Amino acid sequence: RRRDALVGAAEVITEIERMARASGDADEHDGCIATVGRIEVQPGAVNVIPGRADLSLDLRAATDEARDAMWARMERRLEEMCEARGLRFEAQERHRAPAAPCAPWLTDAVVAGIGSTGQQDPLGLWSRAGHDAMAMARITDIGMLFLRCHDGISHHPDEAVLLEDVEVGLGEVRCLVRIGHEDGHRLGCVAALPFEDVRHGGSVADQCRHPVDGVGGEHYRSTGPEFGGGCRHGTDRIGS
């Protein structure tokens, strides 16, 4: 008859991870990522069975439709799991942000800029992070150019980028601005540079075409067909 909200929450978190990973295995573009970054347990005593667990969930996908469909499936599954343990499951949405797809004409300009440096057939990917595009997309078209980070680490003190990559990236930006002006577009660029810790050697020619897996997905020098996937933030509550 023991109804432990923390054990139920642990199962829920594991299932959230499983479902998100399975969606990516089935379709890399429409796959979702899910992060549980916070959990609070009540009453919080060492010798008392937890009666309530509150946990956060950040759910993201390249499109709003894929994200919302995943949440619908996930919510049903989590409710079933909690019911099987005699627990109550409640979910409350705290924040919702739409996906911000890149403008095709800007993506074409980025591809042309990359081609000007000698790299052909650049890889396209969608960014799991929001960055500035989530806000800028409300007022204008957006595009994205990725530079590699060592081991795929980003938004972290260990983030590092090769100076050679920065130089090549700036050349690509200059080219895409020129192309935009020739086509009658006025372009503005927002640069987001990593920390100054640049310590990893190696030639650009040897490294620039190879993706590096890491936290938050792959990081390439390439175009971003979907920049800033839509996200939902919510709080799940599990109680006995």
Side-chain angles (χ1 to χ4, degrees):
R1 292 195 295 268
R2 183 178 178 124
R3 293 185 295 170
D4 191 322
L6 180 55
V7 174
E11 288 188 345
V12 160
I13 294 171
T14 301
E15 182 65 10
I16 288 172
E17 180 191 44
R18 186 199 67 77
M19 293 183 70
R21 286 183 178 274
S23 71
D25 293 340
D27 190 324
E28 181 178 356
H29 184 73
D30 285 336
C32 296
I33 60 169
T35 303
V36 177
R38 185 180 67 249
I39 183 168
E40 298 177 359
V41 179
Q42 297 181 17
V46 297
N47 60 342
V48 178
I49 298 171
R52 172 170 165 171
D54 292 275
L55 56 100
S56 64
L57 171 62
D58 181 291
L59 185 63
R60 304 184 181 213
T63 65
D64 298 344
E65 293 77 14
R67 176 203 60 202
D68 293 345
M70 168 57 76
W71 172 241
R73 295 192 302 272
M74 190 175 286
E75 186 177 28
R76 289 194 299 269
R77 175 59 182 149
L78 302 186
E79 287 175 345
E80 293 172 355
M81 294 176 64
C82 289
E83 184 178 356
R85 280 191 164 270
L87 299 171
R88 184 179 69 258
F89 176 84
E90 300 176 6
Q92 182 177 5
E93 185 173 275
R94 302 287 189 182
H95 173 75
R96 177 190 294 252
C102 289
W105 72 270
L106 267 174
T107 299
D108 292 342
V110 171
V111 171
I114 295 172
S116 70
T117 68
Q119 180 178 339
Q120 303 300 318
D121 299 324
L123 298 172
L125 70 159
W126 69 275
S127 172
R128 274 77 167 171
H131 299 289
D132 299 325
M134 301 295 288
M136 295 301 295
R138 299 174 186 172
I139 59 175
T140 189
D141 290 343
I142 60 168
M144 184 65 183
L145 173 69
F146 288 91
L147 294 180
R148 298 170 308 149
C149 294
H150 179 72
D151 277 349
I153 299 173
S154 115
H155 297 82
H156 187 276
D158 289 339
E159 180 177 350
V161 64
L162 294 174
L163 287 175
E164 296 94 325
D165 281 354
V166 175
E167 182 180 5
V168 173
L170 290 174
E172 294 165 352
V173 170
R174 286 193 293 268
C175 181
L176 74 89
V177 170
R178 176 180 56 78
I179 293 171
H181 287 169
E182 291 175 352
D183 292 341
H185 298 289
R186 297 181 63 184
L187 300 180
C189 298
V190 177
L193 296 179
F195 295 91
E196 295 180 357
D197 182 13
V198 182
R199 59 177 183 269
H200 301 285
S203 69
V204 174
D206 291 338
Q207 299 181 25
C208 68
R209 298 180 183 274
H210 300 286
V212 181
D213 293 332
V215 177
E218 296 85 10
H219 294 253
Y220 310 79
R221 183 196 299 126
S222 71
T223 60
E226 295 286 347
F227 177 63
C231 64
R232 293 176 63 164
H233 302 290
T235 300
D236 297 336
R237 180 178 301 160
I238 301 170
S240 57

